[in-house]
């Protein structure tokens, strides 16, 4: 596609929009183009639409001019898909309104709302929807890929609680998709990522949640503790979801200096069941070893999404997959690999799935990994291109050493990888069905700055 942009083209577009247009010569441009992950790309404009009509105009403009369009919610794409070099960034941050229907236990939220803002708004009414584990993540992006967070075993993925979505398609049409209207599109966006349009509003179920027993538990990372933690997480009731990070201890103020650099399990645990059962459910985790720190307490669910520090983000290489299990031998391998690297920070993250996730048929949504047991992420920080190569090799070797029978991948955690890795996210017939729906709604692959699903031929 040829690009047709004159000096005055963007200026003319600015006059047609209610929202803001930030160009390279404007104050705040460098901040506006900044995303997580250190991607240094310079778009011709960052556009912050004020309403769905602005989104339509930008989509049509990008198509007519041939400019690549990056859609940004929270800007957390591991592959840098939230920003483009020489194209347009459609930054949804000003589309952030959240409407809570307390009696109906549903919410409409605009696509630029963040998980933290949504959780706080719902929590004011002692209600919740499960998203991820980071407050600054945009609910649009995390939902379109699936949504695995602190309530996943109790209430399922974010897409399992999605009731409808307003979408601007590649031809500039505004559709509302749900189980009755455009059901094929509704199926596709529940796991298929940003391939099918710009999602400007989403409607979710809400669940009563006055409080949770949750927070951080830090344990020494021996093979017995790591394997035991996973076993206890698998055996726990669905009301408990966990995230275990096995890593060298950073210089956190609540850990003695002599422990800095030693291997720890830094775990997040959230029990969303009856208050009187929480301590009993968490007791086996505390019994694995004498805790180095225990910040688990009765808190509002929104407290699991604290404000984040802004500033320069470290650069990291990472990879993701699913595992079948972690026994003592596998835990030995995990700790051995972590000890073999001299990266300033390296970690493996283990999230036990199951529960409500498994009670949705694999073909009910475009997220097909319903029977996957444990989601895994391996990451290492780096400084400079030479060190990046070393860290990439370490991550690849680590992943190969722990790979088991599950060849799938979670699309939201994929980086800038290969088409084969995108296929891993959509196994079997899921891939073919997504390509057919892509051909219907975006036959020219206009929305391609994503973990791309090419339209089916013909």
């Amino acid at each position: 596609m040829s690009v047709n942009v004159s000096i005055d083209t963007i200026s003319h577009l600015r006059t047609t929009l209610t929202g803001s247009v930030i160009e390279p010569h404007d104050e705040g441009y460098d901040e506006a183009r900044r995303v997580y992950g250190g991607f240094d790309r310079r778009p011709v404009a960052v556009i912050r639409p004020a309403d769905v009509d602005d989104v339509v105009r930008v989509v049509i403009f990008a198509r007519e001019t041939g400019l690549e369009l990056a859609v940004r919610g929270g800007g957390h794409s591991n592959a840098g898909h939230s920003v483009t070099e020489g194209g347009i960034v459609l930054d949804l941050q000003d589309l952030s309104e959240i409407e809570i229907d307390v009696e109906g236990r549903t919410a409409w939220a605009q696509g630029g709302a963040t998980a933290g803002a949504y959780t706080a708004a719902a929590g004011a009414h002692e209600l919740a929807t499960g998203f991820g584990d980071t407050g600054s993540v945009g609910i649009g992006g995390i939902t379109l890929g699936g949504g695995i967070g602190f309530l996943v075993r109790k209430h399922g993925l974010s897409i399992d609680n999605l009731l409808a979505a307003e979408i601007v398609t590649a031809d500039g049409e505004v559709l509302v998709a749900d189980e009755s209207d455009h059901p094929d599109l509704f199926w596709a966006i529940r796991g298929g990522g940003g391939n099918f349009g710009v999602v400007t509003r989403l409607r979710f179920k809400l669940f009563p949640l006055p409080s949770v027993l949750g927070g951080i538990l830090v344990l020494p990372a021996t093979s017995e503790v790591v394997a035991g933690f996973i076993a206890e997480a698998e055996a726990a009731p669905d009301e408990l979801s966990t995230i275990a990070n096995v890593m060298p201890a950073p210089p956190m103020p609540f850990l003695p200096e002599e422990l800095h650099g030693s291997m720890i399990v830094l775990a997040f645990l959230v029990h969303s069941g009856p208050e009187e059962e929480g301590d009993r459910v968490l007791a086996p985790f505390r019994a694995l070893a004498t805790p180095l720190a225990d910040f688990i307490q009765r808190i509002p669910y929104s407290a699991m999404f604290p404000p984040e520090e802004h500033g320069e983000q470290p650069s990291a290489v990472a990879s993701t997959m699913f595992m079948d299990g972690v026994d003592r031998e596998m835990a030995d391998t995990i700790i051995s690999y972590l000890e073999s690297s001299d990266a300033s920070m390296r970690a493996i993250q283990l999230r036990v799935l199951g529960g409500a996730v498994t009670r949705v048929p694999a073909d009910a949504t475009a997220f097909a990994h319903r029977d996957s047991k444990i989601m895994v992420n391996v990451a290492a920080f780096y400084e400079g291109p030479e060190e990046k190569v070393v860290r990439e090799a370490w991550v690849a070797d680590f992943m190969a050493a722990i790979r088991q029978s599950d060849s799938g991948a979670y699309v939201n955690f994929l980086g800038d990888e290969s088409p084969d890795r995108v296929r891993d996210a959509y196994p079997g017939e899921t891939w073919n069905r997504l390509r057919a729906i892509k051909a219907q709604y975006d036959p020219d692959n206009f929305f391609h700055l994503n973990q791309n699903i090419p339209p089916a031929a013909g």
Side-chain angles (χ1 to χ4, degrees), residues 12 35 145-146 148 187 229 289 300 304 323 325 359 386 389 402 441:
H12 174 71
V35 295
I148 298 175
W187 178 89
F229 188 100
M304 293 301 301
M323 291 178 67
R359 293 192 283 275
E386 292 183 2
V389 173
I402 62 175
Y441 289 96

Side-chain angles (χ1 to χ4, degrees), residues 110 138 153 332 347 352 399 429:
Q110 290 185 309
R153 284 166 53 86
D332 279 338
V352 170
M399 296 293 278
E429 187 56 33

Side-chain angles (χ1 to χ4, degrees), residues 433-450:
R433 187 175 176 185
L434 284 167
R435 289 195 65 195
I437 297 170
K438 176 77 169 181
Q440 180 181 353
Y441 289 96
D442 186 12
D444 299 323
N445 205 13
F446 171 71
F447 293 110
H448 62 267
L449 199 56
N450 44 47

Side-chain angles (χ1 to χ4, degrees), residues 324-386:
D324 307 319
V326 177
D327 58 14
R328 280 281 306 278
E329 183 178 356
M330 181 59 71
D332 279 338
T333 300
I334 286 171
I335 292 173
S336 176
Y337 264 89
L338 289 168
E339 290 178 338
S340 73
S341 173
D342 62 353
S344 60
M345 179 52 62
R346 64 272 188 195
I348 183 171
Q349 184 181 88
L350 305 165
R351 304 187 188 210
V352 170
L353 303 177
V357 178
T358 66
R359 293 192 283 275
V360 176
D363 62 355
T365 67
F367 181 95
H369 310 288
R370 297 293 176 170
D371 293 329
S372 292
K373 306 299 183 185
I374 304 168
M375 188 170 72
V376 179
N377 298 295
V378 172
F381 288 0
Y382 70 88
E383 294 183 13
E386 292 183 2

Side-chain angles (χ1 to χ4, degrees), residues 53-361:
D53 291 337
D54 276 358
V55 174
V56 170
R57 292 186 186 99
V58 173
V59 167
I60 293 174
F61 175 84
R63 282 189 65 94
E64 290 178 345
T65 58
L67 287 170
E68 183 174 63
L69 185 68
V71 182
R72 176 180 176 181
H76 281 263
S77 167
N78 287 342
H81 291 149
S82 307
V83 67
T84 173
E85 180 67 38
I88 292 175
V89 173
L90 184 60
D91 183 353
L92 303 180
Q93 73 168 37
D94 292 343
L95 294 182
S96 58
E97 292 183 3
I98 302 163
E99 302 171 12
I100 307 292
D101 178 357
V102 177
E103 291 186 6
R105 291 182 181 171
T106 63
W108 274 106
Q110 290 185 309
T114 63
Y118 180 105
T119 302
H125 305 284
E126 298 189 343
L127 299 169
T129 303
F131 293 108
D133 57 84
T134 303
S136 59
V137 167
I139 62 168
I142 192 169
T143 299
L144 296 180
I148 298 175
F150 292 129
L151 302 179
V152 66
R153 284 166 53 86
K154 175 63 174 175
H155 295 302
L157 306 169
S158 301
I159 56 172
D160 299 335
N161 302 302
L162 183 66
L163 299 172
E166 179 184 80
I167 308 165
V168 178
T169 61
D171 60 4
E173 188 175 5
V174 181
L175 303 177
V176 176
D178 57 23
E179 293 283 7
S180 300
D181 295 320
H182 310 288
D184 55 345
L185 180 59
F186 188 54
W187 178 89
I189 64 170
R190 286 178 291 166
N195 278 278
F196 304 94
V198 183
V199 175
T200 49
R201 289 203 308 158
L202 306 99
R203 185 172 182 245
F204 294 99
K205 297 178 192 175
L206 287 163
F207 300 95
L209 194 60
S211 65
V212 298
L213 185 63
I216 295 174
L217 179 68
V218 183
L219 301 169
T222 64
S223 298
E224 294 87 352
V225 168
V226 173
F229 188 100
I230 298 304
E232 295 295 347
E234 291 172 329
D238 294 351
E239 286 80 7
L240 184 71
S241 291
T242 64
I243 301 174
N245 299 286
V246 187
M247 59 196 290
M252 295 180 287
F254 54 81
L255 290 179
E257 187 173 349
E258 61 267 22
L259 292 178
H260 296 174
S262 64
M263 288 297 157
I264 61 170
V265 177
L266 192 155
F268 295 87
L269 299 94
V270 174
H271 181 261
S272 57
E275 187 169 343
E276 63 274 14
E277 296 180 7
D279 285 329
R280 176 184 61 79
V281 172
L282 268 63
F285 296 90
R286 289 169 162 146
L288 290 169
T290 302
L292 304 175
D294 187 343
F295 297 113
I296 297 173
Q297 58 187 314
R298 180 63 49 182
I299 53 175
Y301 178 57
S302 59
M304 293 301 301
F305 297 86
E308 299 166 49
E309 293 184 7
H310 295 284
E312 200 67 28
Q313 299 294 320
S315 298
V317 295
S319 189
T320 186
M321 68 178 187
F322 296 106
M323 291 178 67
D324 307 319
V326 177
D327 58 14
R328 280 281 306 278
E329 183 178 356
M330 181 59 71
D332 279 338
T333 300
I334 286 171
I335 292 173
S336 176
Y337 264 89
L338 289 168
E339 290 178 338
S340 73
S341 173
D342 62 353
S344 60
M345 179 52 62
R346 64 272 188 195
I348 183 171
Q349 184 181 88
L350 305 165
R351 304 187 188 210
V352 170
L353 303 177
V357 178
T358 66
R359 293 192 283 275
V360 176

